[in-house]
Amino acid sequence: MEAKVIKSLEYLDVDAIDKHLEGVEYIIMAAPAPDQFKKSPIHFTIFLNTQEKFPQDVQEAIFGKFLIENSITNPQEIMSQLMPVGFSSGVHETHMPLLLIKQEDVNSIPHRTMFVMDFLADSDNFSEAKEKSLTGWSYSYN
């Protein structure tokens, strides 16, 4: 199944991003993984609302906590680092986080740096992503 594109109507500016992130601890996003990853059918991105670069042992502890709390199994293709993140508004209820990879996106989309963990895995808690090819995200507030 092919994932459908979510349309962004506009991007938040930096001041709106700062206001939007007040009280946010993290955001978890789940989307369908490419078809060749049968044992890890979900593409997860965890956006931690911090600009702190964590030592490797702390990264592993945080990652392990997310895996356990969300019943996530078989993680693969794991990347964790500080990354630029933009936010868009559209027809969805909450602002969608956008991991900015391409330099032209970094240059043209307002963003904030966040600590990001990006990986492929599986979880029955996110069945919409693997069974219906839907993308979703959830905010956790402190």
Side-chain angles (χ1 to χ4, degrees):
M1 246 192 283
E2 190 82 20
K4 295 180 181 169
V5 175
I6 298 172
K7 293 185 181 181
S8 296
L9 300 178
E10 66 180 334
Y11 299 108
L12 299 184
D13 64 27
V14 173
D15 289 336
I17 292 172
D18 289 343
K19 183 174 170 82
H20 174 66
L21 289 176
E22 287 178 9
V24 172
E25 184 178 10
Y26 66 87
I27 306 160
I28 187 166
M29 181 178 237
D35 288 338
Q36 67 264 31
F37 294 97
K38 301 284 184 210
K39 293 184 179 182
S40 299
I42 305 171
H43 177 191
F44 287 97
T45 308
I46 299 167
F47 304 88
L48 300 177
N49 190 13
T50 183
Q51 294 182 0
E52 183 178 345
K53 183 173 171 137
F54 299 108
Q56 189 63 36
D57 61 331
V58 174
Q59 288 180 39
E60 290 171 8
I62 293 169
F63 186 66
K65 179 180 183 241
F66 274 102
L67 295 180
I68 291 167
E69 287 180 355
N70 294 284
S71 301
I72 297 172
T73 60
N74 200 32
Q76 310 218 353
E77 307 291 325
I78 304 159
M79 179 279 301
S80 58
Q81 63 189 43
L82 291 170
M83 296 285 295
V85 179
F87 289 85
S88 71
S89 61
V91 295
H92 30 279
E93 291 179 28
T94 57
H95 297 301
M96 180 176 70
L98 306 161
L99 183 58
L100 304 179
I101 306 289
K102 297 178 184 174
Q103 190 59 47
E104 59 264 25
D105 291 340
V106 174
N107 293 338
S108 65
I109 297 173
H111 60 274
R112 280 292 181 224
T113 300
M114 299 177 82
F115 193 85
V116 175
M117 297 178 169
D118 193 71
F119 58 99
L120 304 175
D122 194 9
S123 175
D124 290 336
N125 292 352
F126 299 86
S127 60
E128 296 90 354
K130 67 181 178 180
E131 294 169 10
K132 297 179 183 175
S133 292
L134 297 176
T135 297
W137 53 92
S138 178
Y139 284 76
S140 177
Y141 296 89
N142 47 4

